[in-house]
Amino acid sequence: MKVTLTITWLSLLLLSFYQLACNANQIDNLNRLLNSRKSSNPPRAEPWTELNVRKDVFSPVYVGPQEGMMQSDKIKTLPGQPGGVDFDQYAGYVTVDPKAGRALFYYFVESPQNSSTKPLVLWLNGGPGCSSLGYGAMEELGPFRVNSDGKTLFRNEYAWNNVANVIFLESPAGVGFSYSNTSSDYRNAGDKSTAEDSYTFLVNWQERFPQYKNRDFFITGESYAGHYVPQLAYTILSKNKNTTGTVINLKGIAIGNAWIDDAMCSKGMYDYFWTHALNSDETYAGIQKNCDFVNGNYSSTCSQYLSQGNKVFEELDIYNIYAPLCKSSIPKSPSAASIKDYDPCSGTYVKSYLNLADVQTALHAKSTDWSGCSGVGWTHSPTTILPTIQQLIASGISVWLYSGDTDGRVPVTSSKYSINTLKLPVETAWRSWYTSGEVGGYVVGYKGVIFITVRGAGHTVPSYQPERALIMISSFLEGKLPPPS
């Protein structure tokens, strides 16, 4: 019997409340999580080790009926899309818990050419609690960007579906169009439940799209997806041990400007501020003397210096310290839009577009007051993901960490400090890589991890450097380093 989920008025109101709790961006959600660690009721922080997953390896995973749903999810056309669209696109819901009434929303774009031979890539945005549709698909690596009128789209010639078939997943429930009929799901989200639901989504999605079973599969993402991606990858590898269940052909992970270790990421951020002339010598010296990032000891004196250092959040776009702020009240002509010109107001255009009734209908989405980030409660978050990354290295899958070098929130120093903690030997020396005759960034190969920078890119790498991001991800999927000349 086919399971049908009904979204109630109560769940709609709850979803709207949790979405409106965060109207800003991924920075606010990450800051809120980190501040909650110092509260009287911090999120659980037990490490994501084999003990967390082992008991679940042979537990049953919900698999619902999927017959005919692929075709019903096919998008005829998106409102305002440009002419000449030469690829298939799909969107809809996948039930992950019928008892709770929990369903995750996805947007899927196939490659325009040879989609049957190209790999499958899952993209996850972080937060925690921010939308992979609004950020990843519509502002970064998806096939379209939104014009300043908030009603029409233009083509992204450097979209990642040029080289792969890409799924954008809004998770957990309460983010974007994803929802639950159980209110406690919005209050009690966390790393573990997010990984479990994402895995259940993948198993069901592959039943809906059986042609992608056994396809080479990669997981990518950015920011707090530094938690999501390794945890989901480890869940897949653990579940693959159950030979009676679905085996997902996971080949590798790639995470951009990844928040993977509280101590090293925090220390790296303030070091970046000082080395980029964003903090004074006095502020930096005070932080170095009074703040113990490794043990999480923050005295009142430390807090005062951190407060001085954090003023940069109010003054700049911390996601790209050299980018302009969104101040213009005069929209640009849609005809003037260029994929190579970063528009700091793009998030506003995306929010307007995804709240159009005809757009939500075309996406097969429930009528929702959509927002880029949601205020879901976060009850489980390890302070470090490095042990999980070590386990992934040991498994033999490809592990890439990349970093836009103008990001101030999870800067290149944070990534380097985190990797250095692993004490991996260098196998390929640090060198430059190129695209269009210019240095695209730098790369170093460690035993088990590739670290790559993208020159001139901020936190959301493809937003700022779409061509360089495409060259980088193409190299990752091909299992080779980007070109040296």
Side-chain angles (χ1 to χ4, degrees):
M1 180 177 178
K2 185 174 181 179
V3 177
T4 302
L5 289 180
T6 302
I7 185 166
T8 65
W9 283 108
L10 175 60
S11 61
L12 272 173
L13 289 171
L14 287 166
L15 179 57
S16 298
F17 171 80
Y18 282 103
Q19 288 177 323
L20 291 173
C22 178
N23 274 324
N25 54 38
Q26 299 177 89
I27 296 174
D28 295 321
N29 277 30
L30 179 57
N31 289 346
R32 186 161 59 92
L33 173 68
L34 297 178
N35 288 333
S36 73
R37 295 205 192 282
K38 307 169 189 175
S39 70
S40 59
N41 186 30
R44 303 190 328 272
E46 66 266 21
W48 187 274
T49 64
E50 189 170 354
L51 291 176
N52 295 104
V53 183
R54 183 186 299 156
K55 63 180 179 293
D56 299 323
V57 170
F58 296 103
S59 61
V61 174
Y62 167 75
V63 181
Q66 304 297 330
E67 185 178 356
M69 298 189 74
M70 181 184 77
Q71 286 306 314
S72 64
D73 283 354
K74 190 171 184 179
I75 297 171
K76 295 179 180 178
T77 184
L78 287 176
Q81 77 177 32
V85 173
D86 52 356
F87 57 88
D88 289 335
Q89 48 187 334
Y90 302 80
Y93 291 95
V94 171
T95 301
V96 295
D97 188 334
K99 183 177 180 180
R102 195 162 67 248
L104 300 184
F105 183 84
Y106 78 94
Y107 172 59
F108 174 54
V109 289
E110 291 189 310
S111 188
Q113 297 179 344
N114 303 318
S115 64
S116 63
T117 61
K118 287 181 178 172
L120 180 65
V121 169
L122 175 69
W123 173 267
L124 301 171
N125 274 91
C130 295
S131 167
S132 301
L133 173 64
Y135 284 97
M138 307 303 286
E139 293 189 51
E140 300 184 60
L141 57 125
F144 305 115
R145 298 277 181 90
V146 182
N147 281 308
S148 60
D149 60 4
K151 299 177 181 179
T152 58
L153 306 173
F154 66 100
R155 192 75 177 259
N156 174 10
E157 62 187 287
Y158 301 110
W160 288 12
N161 73 320
N162 284 308
V163 295
N165 306 285
V166 186
I167 310 171
F168 301 91
L169 175 64
E170 291 192 306
S171 66
V175 174
F177 293 119
S178 296
Y179 69 88
S180 176
N181 289 333
T182 302
S183 61
S184 59
D185 285 345
Y186 297 149
R187 297 193 301 270
N188 298 318
D191 285 18
K192 191 172 190 296
S193 60
T194 298
E196 291 168 347
D197 277 1
S198 296
Y199 177 79
T200 303
F201 164 85
L202 286 172
V203 170
N204 282 271
W205 188 92
Q206 289 198 347
E207 292 298 319
R208 188 174 300 187
F209 292 80
Q211 66 271 35
Y212 285 97
K213 287 185 176 181
N214 302 316
R215 191 74 62 92
D216 286 355
F217 178 64
F218 299 85
I219 313 174
T220 59
E222 71 191 12
S223 196
Y224 195 78
H227 283 225
Y228 293 167
V229 172
Q231 290 165 342
L232 177 57
Y234 187 75
T235 300
I236 290 171
L237 293 176
S238 298
K239 292 286 191 179
N240 280 351
K241 297 174 184 177
N242 182 358
T243 55
T244 63
T246 298
V247 175
I248 297 174
N249 190 22
L250 179 64
K251 294 296 185 179
I253 66 170
I255 327 168
N257 295 81
W259 190 271
I260 53 179
D261 183 88
D262 281 12
M264 293 300 98
C265 286
S266 296
K267 175 176 171 51
M269 183 181 72
Y270 292 104
D271 286 358
Y272 185 89
F273 287 172
W274 180 62
T275 56
H276 287 71
L278 304 181
N279 276 177
S280 69
D281 291 351
E282 292 77 15
T283 296
Y284 178 69
I287 291 173
Q288 292 295 105
K289 180 179 179 181
N290 296 285
C291 299
D292 181 0
F293 293 110
V294 172
N295 296 306
N297 295 328
Y298 303 99
S299 65
S300 59
T301 304
C302 165
S303 297
Q304 292 174 2
Y305 281 108
L306 291 181
S307 180
Q308 294 175 20
N310 290 340
K311 289 180 180 179
V312 66
F313 281 85
E314 305 167 11
E315 300 167 338
L316 301 174
D317 177 357
I318 202 64
Y319 273 178
N320 184 334
I321 62 173
Y322 304 120
L325 299 175
C326 178
K327 292 182 176 180
S328 176
S329 60
I330 304 174
K332 296 185 299 185
S333 168
S335 62
S338 169
I339 199 66
K340 293 187 176 181
D341 295 331
Y342 171 70
D343 189 333
C345 300
S346 57
T348 302
Y349 315 152
V350 169
K351 185 173 183 180
S352 296
Y353 183 78
L354 291 178
N355 276 298
L356 294 175
D358 58 345
V359 170
Q360 295 188 1
T361 298
L363 289 169
H364 313 122
K366 305 287 186 182
S367 178
T368 304
D369 186 4
W370 185 94
S371 62
C373 293
S374 306
V376 289
W378 215 254
T379 61
H380 174 233
S381 173
T383 58
T384 182
I385 302 298
L386 292 175
T388 305
I389 291 177
Q390 287 178 311
Q391 292 165 337
L392 296 179
I393 293 170
S395 77
I397 68 168
S398 176
V399 178
W400 281 38
L401 299 176
Y402 65 91
S403 181
D405 62 11
T406 64
D407 176 25
R409 187 61 187 92
V410 192
V412 64
T413 43
S414 295
S415 297
K416 291 180 73 173
Y417 291 172
S418 298
I419 293 172
N420 288 345
T421 302
L422 296 174
K423 301 186 185 305
L424 303 172
V426 173
E427 292 187 330
T428 303
W430 177 275
R431 67 162 172 83
S432 54
W433 62 274
Y434 286 76
T435 180
S436 297
E438 293 185 351
V439 172
Y442 296 86
V443 62
V444 56
Y446 298 94
K447 184 176 176 60
V449 173
I450 300 297
F451 176 60
I452 183 169
T453 71
V454 182
R455 186 168 69 90
H459 188 74
T460 54
V461 170
S463 298
Y464 304 98
Q465 294 292 339
E467 182 179 8
R468 292 172 185 172
L470 180 59
I471 294 295
M472 176 203 66
I473 207 65
S474 299
S475 300
F476 163 68
L477 296 175
E478 294 170 6
K480 63 182 184 182
L481 297 184
S485 63

